[in-house]
Structure formats: structure tokens, C-alpha cells
Amino acid sequence: MGFPRFVRLSVLVIALVTAAVGCSDAAEDSDQGAAADRGRIGLALPTTVSARWILDGENLEYEFDRMGYTTELQYADDDVAKQVSQVEAMIDSGARALVVGAVSATALTDVLAKAAAADIAVIAYDRLIRDTADVDYYATFDNTRVGVLQGTYLVNALGLKSGGGPFTIELFAGAADDNNSKLFFDGAMSVLQPYLTDGRLVVRSGQTSFEEVTTRRWSAAVAKTRLTRLLDEHYASARLNAILSPNDDLTRGLLEAVQAAGYRGSTLPKVTGQDAELASVRLIASGEQGSTVFKDTRELAKVAAQMAHAVLTDQKPEVNDTAQYHNGVKVVPTYLLQPVAVDKSNLQQVLVESGYYSAEQVAS
Ligand code: GAL
């Protein structure tokens, strides 16, 4: 007795198709409340000082959760040793994959060898991890383009293309041990250098090399102190017209420094930023901060989670760059998202209409 053969076959086919669909779209079965426990993912992020990383953490938890994974999220307070021990603990407690926003690009070689030995997938998140073969994929934004957008804002804001100048400018970069910092700086300098060379942009401090302008631990206080000293030493009888700032957190510190030196309203230097942090978006709306670069952390979290899920289910993650990101040992296959320049003119459209912030958040 039993069902006719075609019925049994159909049941089998339906069962197989259902299983395959469940596999390829874990989000869907999770949404239906039927997700298996796919295991634990370690999320190791660098800091909560820049508000963006808090959103990254929330978005990563959300993405993995909807695919049926559990997560362990740890922030390292910009402390290299702390991050190494957090990652080590994640390995020891049985994480299946690690998503790591590295504090230092070069400090994770040993701990990631341990991850590889335990067959744990590793996704570099936002920042490239260097000097190791044990990083599988890299999810980030086009970091050089971030810098290009920053440089372009300054060129446009100062009217350099239509022959303005000379203008004074001071340059700031991020932490030297964050692989992104040099990419941002080089991207910006690729746009600014011609004007520095022809004398229409002048750095009165003379500090123009990456090594001279980095900011320890991306600290706004460190950047503010440096600018205060530069203003004292080089701008007693001159006005500072522009500042290349690598991210919003630093920008707010830099604005405090120029305001303390008496700059107000239209005399404030044109200044860049990055991350579209709410506090800075408000300063853009009020005209104090010139611009920022929006990197949609919702999208980055989605890319990273899909990469990890693909590796864990023996699929190939989608990448769109297999050339640029050599980490000293190998080219790490990368998915690059596109950053978007934001100033007062498109803030509403890019940040509010996309639902990243509500109009009330920006206004309050
Ligand atoms: C960079 C990151 C930026 C910024 C900075 C400071 O690596 O790409 O978005 O947040 O770190 O945390």
C-alpha cells in the first residue's frame, strides 16, 4: 500500500524545493519563525565613540538574527589588546564566523590563525585586516572615493575651479593603524594636490604628509588640540579658510577649536566630514559643518551578513572587487558599496527621504 509513485515523487520534489529555498533565503524562513539555529556569529567592532559603529552593531545583529543566527557583539574601545582578547573569547566559545571591524589593521594575525585552525570564517568589516591569509572576505565602502568626495567638496566650496584663491587649508587624517585612513587621505589629496602645487591652496603649518596629519585613535580631542596649536602658531594674522577632516567626530572637535579662536558664521572654514552622524547632520543643516559622506550602514551590514552566510552554507559570496585590496599576503575578495556626498543641498533627500533619519531627528 502507499501513494502512487507520481504522488510520492511530487512530495519528494516539493520537499527538496522547500529545503533548497529555505537554504538560499534564510531570511524568509526566519521571518516565518521557522529558522533553524544556525549557530553563533562573533561581531567585533572597534569603538562606540563614532556613533556610526553603534548603528553598525545594531544592523549586524538585525541581519544575522533574521537569518537564524545568534550573535555576540563586542566593542573594543579602540584598544588593540582588548579586541584581540575579545576575538579570542569568541573563537573559544564556538563562533562559526567572525565579522571584524579592526582597531589595528596589523594586530590580528595570530588570533586569526587560531580562527582558521578552528575553521571559522572571517569577514573584514569596513576596515581591511592586513598581514594574514586568514581573512576570507571584505565588506566595505569605496574608501578612496570617500576621500575624493571630501576633496571635491572643498574644491567646489572654495570656488577653486573658477579661479578662486589663494586659500589656506589644514589637513587631518584618521588613525595611522586603520587601513582606511591612508585611502581616505590619498583620495582627498588626489583632488587637492594640483591646487597645493599651483599655490592656490596653502598649508601654513607645512604639514602635508600623511604621517604628519594622522590622529591617534581617531580622537576628536587629539585633533582639536592639534588644530588649536596650529591656529596659535600659524593663523594669528591670517584666516583659515578650509579644513580636510576625515570624519564627523573629528569635524565637531575641529569646529570647537575654530569657534574658540573666534570664527563664526560665514568666517568658519569650509570643512568636510564622513559618516553622516546625527550631531553633524544637524550642524550641516545649521550651516556650521560644510559636508559629510554618507555610508549606509544598513547596506554594509547586509553585505557582511550575506557574505558570512554564504561561506557557512558553502556558497560563493557576491564580490565586486578582486584587485584593489591586497592585504600584504593576498588580495582579499571585496564587496565595495558606494559612498554619497552630502551637504545642505541634498541632506533632506539622501538622509531623510531614505528613512535613515527622521525629519524630527534632524530638526531637534
Ligand atoms: C573608519 C571608518 C569611518 C570612521 C572612522 C572612525 O575606519 O571607515 O567611517 O567611522 O573609522 O571610527
Side-chain angles (χ1 to χ4, degrees), residues 21-194:
V21 168
C23 220
S24 66
D25 192 353
E28 204 167 287
D29 64 21
S30 163
D31 288 348
Q32 292 165 2
D37 180 0
R38 295 179 187 272
R40 187 200 302 222
I41 311 292
L43 308 172
L45 297 184
T47 180
T48 52
V49 168
S50 287
R52 70 149 287 185
W53 294 107
I54 298 170
L55 296 178
D56 286 290
E58 290 170 2
N59 292 332
L60 281 164
E61 284 177 327
Y62 171 77
E63 292 297 336
F64 279 109
D65 180 64
R66 65 199 282 268
M67 291 197 290
Y69 295 92
T70 54
T71 51
E72 181 189 351
L73 172 61
Q74 297 282 353
Y75 286 97
D77 300 326
D78 281 314
D79 181 328
V80 177
K82 188 167 184 176
Q83 184 164 62
V84 171
S85 59
Q86 287 174 338
V87 171
E88 193 142 36
M90 289 169 185
I91 295 168
D92 292 343
S93 69
R96 294 190 66 204
L98 300 170
V99 175
V100 183
V103 173
S104 160
T106 57
L108 296 169
T109 310
D110 292 348
V111 77
L112 292 189
K114 221 178 144 184
D119 204 21
I120 297 171
V122 176
I123 311 295
Y125 186 81
D126 193 80
R127 302 171 172 181
L128 184 63
I129 304 171
R130 303 190 64 87
D131 299 350
T132 174
D134 303 321
V135 50
D136 298 298
Y137 290 92
Y138 180 30
T140 191
F141 289 86
D142 186 334
N143 294 299
T144 305
R145 175 107 186 117
V146 168
V148 168
L149 295 176
Q150 292 171 335
T152 303
Y153 165 76
L154 291 174
V155 165
N156 292 338
L158 295 169
L160 284 166
K161 275 197 190 129
S162 45
F167 294 109
T168 55
I169 184 170
E170 291 297 335
L171 309 173
F172 287 76
D177 56 354
D178 174 350
N179 193 70
N180 284 349
S181 299
K182 181 104 174 23
L183 299 169
F184 299 150
F185 186 71
D186 287 350
M189 290 303 268
S190 71
V191 178
L192 299 177
Q193 190 58 55

Side-chain angles (χ1 to χ4, degrees), residues 57 65 72 78 107 111 120 124 126 150 160 230 236 238 247 296 304 312 333 345-346 348 354 357:
D65 180 64
E72 181 189 351
D78 281 314
V111 77
I120 297 171
D126 193 80
Q150 292 171 335
L160 284 166
L230 296 182
N247 83 346
D296 192 333
L312 293 176
S345 69
N346 66 350
Q348 183 71 20
S354 74
Y357 296 126

Side-chain angles (χ1 to χ4, degrees), residues 1 22 92 115 119 136 167 200 204 216 220 266 279 296 298 305 313 320 332:
M1 276 296 284
D92 292 343
D119 204 21
D136 298 298
F167 294 109
R200 286 198 289 142
R204 286 176 71 94
R216 199 174 62 86
S266 63
D296 192 333
R298 296 170 301 192
T313 52
N320 59 12
V332 184

Side-chain angles (χ1 to χ4, degrees), residues 164-302:
F167 294 109
T168 55
I169 184 170
E170 291 297 335
L171 309 173
F172 287 76
D177 56 354
D178 174 350
N179 193 70
N180 284 349
S181 299
K182 181 104 174 23
L183 299 169
F184 299 150
F185 186 71
D186 287 350
M189 290 303 268
S190 71
V191 178
L192 299 177
Q193 190 58 55
Y195 301 102
L196 292 163
T197 305
D198 77 8
R200 286 198 289 142
L201 282 179
V202 179
V203 180
R204 286 176 71 94
S205 71
Q207 296 172 9
T208 55
S209 71
F210 176 69
E211 290 69 23
E212 287 170 303
V213 305
T214 54
T215 308
R216 199 174 62 86
R217 291 186 166 190
W218 285 93
S219 159
V222 168
K224 180 179 173 183
T225 303
R226 176 170 165 248
L227 183 57
T228 302
R229 199 180 55 240
L230 296 182
L231 289 169
D232 275 1
E233 289 173 5
H234 304 283
Y235 294 89
S237 58
R239 192 152 79 81
L240 177 61
N241 301 123
I243 309 173
L244 173 68
S245 169
N247 83 346
D248 287 347
D249 194 39
L250 264 65
T251 306
R252 295 193 298 276
L254 296 169
L255 282 170
E256 283 173 21
V258 288
Q259 278 159 350
Y263 290 77
R264 292 283 180 279
S266 63
T267 70
L268 283 169
K270 305 293 181 200
V271 63
T272 56
Q274 172 179 194
D275 295 333
E277 293 193 348
L278 193 52
S280 280
V281 171
R282 291 177 182 146
L283 291 177
I284 293 173
S286 69
E288 284 154 276
Q289 178 171 331
S291 68
T292 188
V293 176
F294 174 49
K295 304 194 300 188
D296 192 333
T297 56
R298 296 170 301 192
E299 294 304 316
L300 187 60
K302 206 176 286 172

